[in-house]
Amino acid sequence: MTVREIQEILSAEVICGEAFLDREVHSACGSDMMSDVLAYVKEQAVLLSGLVNPQVVRTAEMMDMQCIVFVRGKQPDESIVGLARDRDIVLLTTKLPMFAACGMLYEKGLRGGAIQ
């Protein structure tokens, strides 16, 4: 699945990273707790979260994630967008709640990676 397909499935708005929408992704996770993402999530390419702060981008960078989807219509401020731009991470926002967004992506074939 590509990031562009995720955008379409979730009716998401692209905040930044338009040049990277054709990146292939094979797994995703949803969490508002970045400590859980760092501790338990492996091999994920997409992070869905309702948390809007710089730690989300820093966590995604540490985990080599390609894309962050902010759920519930959350909008990051310019400092967060700047961090993502500098790291070539796509930011999307969708009005869907996390449960629905994860379910829709799962239904279309996107799976979670290895959890340890």
Side-chain angles (χ1 to χ4, degrees), residues 29-51:
C29 69
S31 183
D32 286 343
M33 295 185 63
M34 295 304 103
S35 59
D36 280 356
V37 174
L38 290 169
Y40 301 111
V41 174
K42 306 295 180 217
E43 302 173 9
Q44 305 294 333
V46 180
L47 173 61
L48 290 91
S49 186
L51 187 64

Side-chain angles (χ1 to χ4, degrees), residues 82-99:
L83 278 175
R85 271 196 191 107
D86 291 346
R87 288 151 180 81
D88 295 334
I89 297 173
V90 179
L91 295 184
L92 304 175
T93 185
T94 181
K95 293 183 180 184
L96 296 166
M98 188 180 316
F99 183 80

Side-chain angles (χ1 to χ4, degrees), residues 17 23 66 72 75-76 80 88 112:
R23 285 180 175 165
Q66 305 294 313
R72 300 187 303 275
Q75 292 285 338
I80 296 167
D88 295 334

Side-chain angles (χ1 to χ4, degrees), residues 3-67:
V3 174
R4 185 180 314 279
E5 289 173 299
I6 291 171
Q7 177 204 3
E8 291 169 3
I9 291 165
L10 301 180
S11 299
E13 170 193 338
V14 179
I15 298 169
C16 73
E18 295 86 357
F20 307 114
L21 294 179
D22 292 321
R23 285 180 175 165
E24 287 282 331
V25 295
H26 303 285
S27 60
C29 69
S31 183
D32 286 343
M33 295 185 63
M34 295 304 103
S35 59
D36 280 356
V37 174
L38 290 169
Y40 301 111
V41 174
K42 306 295 180 217
E43 302 173 9
Q44 305 294 333
V46 180
L47 173 61
L48 290 91
S49 186
L51 187 64
V52 183
N53 65 36
Q55 286 72 30
V56 176
V57 176
R58 295 183 197 288
T59 300
E61 177 187 26
M62 289 176 65
M63 304 302 289
D64 295 323
M65 293 180 170
Q66 305 294 313
C67 176

